[in-house]
Amino acid sequence: MVHPYMRQSHHAQQGMQSAEEISQKTVELLERLHAIVIGPGLGRDSLMQDTAAKIIEAAKARNMPMVVDADGLFLVQNRPSIIKDYVKAILTPNKAEFARLCKAMDVDPQGDETDVCAKLARAFGGVTIIQKGPKDYISNGKQTFVCDLEGGLKRSGGQGDTLTGSLGTFLAWTRAYRERTWNHDNSLSDSELISLSAFGAAAVTRYCSRVAYEKKGRALQASDLSVEVGNAFKYLFETENPKL
């Protein structure tokens, strides 16, 4: 369901609508949500970015887990304080975005990928970073994981949306876990839930990329990954001893 509340500067009512006013309708929806994704399709228009900043602040006040991707990373790059120290946030930069975030936080991007990812996560105060690439490096500054499941041999623009969407789903389930929607021992900490969400989403995306490439080859498009998500989840998490 689409709620067309966001406005670019030239679409605001003759400049009379502020980011505060525009964001309010979206903020009112947050009580109905378990997690949010900020960035895909956002754009870099100043009013859109300001509105997204207001929504992030409102989500933080509600202690909601969030994923920041695409143009949301442009916002964080320019206003690091908006996400700093919020440990329920996951950032998903590609190589270029990662370098820009490192520059914003005065972190040297050169060196061992595992160490650099951890340094950036620490610079953000424990925010989880998923550095996308041939291998996905996942770190909250204290623990670092590498997701190196085989992926496809083609990168198509938009494939990151499968990661972002999967992350949003897994993060929503962390709230269901805390609310004991099903019976369990409640033994996982918040940081473990965030890390598991990040690793699980990376694994799903890499599986989808591999299988979609096997079917489509060089004709692969980002949308081809979406149809593989259900099979990926079943294979990775519902099959005993999957061959990875």
Side-chain angles (χ1 to χ4, degrees), residues 120-140:
L120 184 60
R122 284 194 293 271
F124 272 108
V127 170
T128 296
I129 309 286
I130 302 179
Q131 182 186 5
K132 300 180 291 191
K135 297 179 182 179
D136 296 326
Y137 296 91
I138 303 165
S139 182
N140 60 11

Side-chain angles (χ1 to χ4, degrees), residues 11-31:
H11 288 148
Q13 296 176 1
Q14 298 180 347
M16 299 300 291
Q17 285 184 298
S18 66
E20 183 73 40
E21 292 170 320
I22 295 171
S23 66
Q24 193 53 44
K25 286 188 176 181
T26 302
V27 169
E28 290 170 357
L29 294 173
L30 295 182
E31 296 298 336

Side-chain angles (χ1 to χ4, degrees), residues 150-152 205-215 235:
E150 183 183 358
T205 305
R206 298 180 76 86
Y207 176 96
C208 290
S209 176
R210 175 176 62 80
V211 173
Y213 182 81
E214 289 172 353
K215 294 179 179 180
Y235 180 80

